[in-house]
Amino acid sequence: MQKRNDIMSVDAMMDERFGKVGTQEREAFRKEAYAYCVGQIISDARKREKITQQELAQRIGSNKSYISRVENGSVEPGAGMFLRILGALGLRFEVTQPLAFG
């Protein structure tokens, strides 16, 4: 079996591309990735509900441009706006306490 030298761990790849955990570069990447994921969740939910960006914007008292920026990860909605968006899409946000074992 031949050893491959071109394989690296995900952690090493992330460190190389975006800096070590805790650095400004890595934190900026994390925030960007989080905003993108939130945008995709909202976009997928909106499409499942078969409503346009304009319709969603009207439901939350915003505009289509804002919804577009949220969905493409350019803007990360604050907590209040995120909850309004979820409500407008018929979704709910639930905070639960994990079960304690011991």
Side-chain angles (χ1 to χ4, degrees):
M1 188 172 222
Q2 190 176 39
K3 183 179 178 186
R4 291 188 56 180
N5 293 327
D6 61 336
I7 297 176
M8 71 168 46
S9 75
V10 172
D11 290 335
M13 185 269 307
M14 294 290 289
D15 290 350
E16 184 178 301
R17 289 190 184 175
F18 306 108
K20 298 268 185 199
V21 173
T23 62
Q24 288 180 341
E25 296 84 4
R26 184 71 165 259
E27 183 60 18
F29 170 75
R30 188 200 64 75
K31 286 181 178 183
E32 184 180 319
Y34 184 79
Y36 176 80
C37 289
V38 166
Q40 289 304 295
I41 290 167
I42 291 169
S43 177
D44 291 347
R46 178 183 59 76
K47 290 172 183 174
R48 273 194 308 276
E49 290 298 309
K50 296 180 173 60
I51 63 172
T52 66
Q53 289 179 338
Q54 182 65 43
E55 289 171 306
L56 177 56
Q58 288 173 339
R59 290 181 186 187
I60 65 167
S62 186
N63 58 54
K64 179 186 178 297
S65 173
Y66 177 75
I67 299 301
S68 176
R69 291 190 321 256
V70 167
E71 288 185 358
N72 71 31
S74 299
V75 171
E76 186 178 335
M81 182 59 82
F82 183 67
L83 293 174
R84 284 178 30 206
I85 292 170
L86 293 181
L89 293 169
L91 301 173
R92 67 183 180 141
F93 180 80
E94 188 173 304
V95 177
T96 59
Q97 190 75 24
L99 295 175
F101 294 98

